[in-house]
């Protein structure tokens, strides 16, 4: 019997990390490799970001990737494009009300394979 697993046991997260690593190699874009490393972390070390933090660190028109969950704490007054692993209903509502856009991480990779002008928020 193997030792206790580290990293995600969730099949979808493992597939997402594999997809990101392949995208990083194919497009020479290290940003996707870094995002994959965050996604592969153990559950207790996963990234959780509130909407209020996005309001502080992002500018209008920015493209932001969150290698974890986006929660609805705080206010968002900027139009940004957000891609994350998971989003709460309240956070999704706040992003859309601010005029922003929500994407999945694979959608963002397909739109912007080189990862140019993408910020990682942790």
């Amino acid at each position: 019997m193997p030792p206790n697993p580290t990293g995600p046991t969730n099949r979808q997260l493992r597939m997402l990390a594999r997809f990101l690593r392949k995208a990083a190699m194919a497009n020479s874009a290290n940003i996707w490799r870094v995002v994959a490393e965050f996604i592969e972390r153990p559950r207790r070390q996963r990234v959780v970001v509130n909407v209020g933090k996005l309001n502080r660190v992002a500018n209008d028109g920015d493209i932001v990737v969150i290698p974890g969950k986006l929660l609805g704490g705080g206010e968002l007054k900027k139009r940004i494009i957000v891609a994350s692993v998971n989003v709460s209903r309240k956070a999704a509502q706040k992003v859309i009300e601010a005029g922003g856009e929500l994407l999945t991480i694979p959608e963002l990779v397909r739109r912007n394979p080189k990862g140019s002008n993408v910020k990682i928020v942790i």
Side-chain angles (χ1 to χ4, degrees), residues 3-77:
N4 292 337
T6 59
T9 54
N10 181 335
R11 187 169 191 272
Q12 290 174 328
L13 285 179
R14 287 196 328 254
M15 297 295 284
L16 177 60
R18 186 177 305 143
F19 170 79
L20 288 169
R21 289 188 184 284
K22 285 181 182 178
M25 292 291 289
N27 301 305
S28 300
N30 278 337
I31 187 168
W32 305 130
R33 183 186 50 78
V34 172
V35 172
E37 287 173 4
F38 277 108
I39 288 172
E40 289 175 332
R41 285 182 167 184
R43 184 175 294 159
R44 283 180 276 172
Q45 294 177 8
R46 295 232 177 101
V47 176
V48 178
V49 176
N50 277 309
V51 170
K53 183 172 184 176
L54 288 182
N55 201 47
R56 288 193 310 272
V57 299
N59 299 319
D60 250 358
D62 276 355
I63 303 169
V64 174
V65 64
I66 300 168
K69 186 164 188 170
L70 177 63
L71 299 176
E75 290 185 36
L76 182 63
K77 298 179 180 172

Side-chain angles (χ1 to χ4, degrees), residues 75-90:
E75 290 185 36
L76 182 63
K77 298 179 180 172
K78 298 174 182 170
R79 296 180 64 162
I80 56 177
I81 297 173
V82 180
S84 70
V85 174
N86 202 343
V87 183
S88 72
R89 279 193 192 126
K90 193 90 167 178

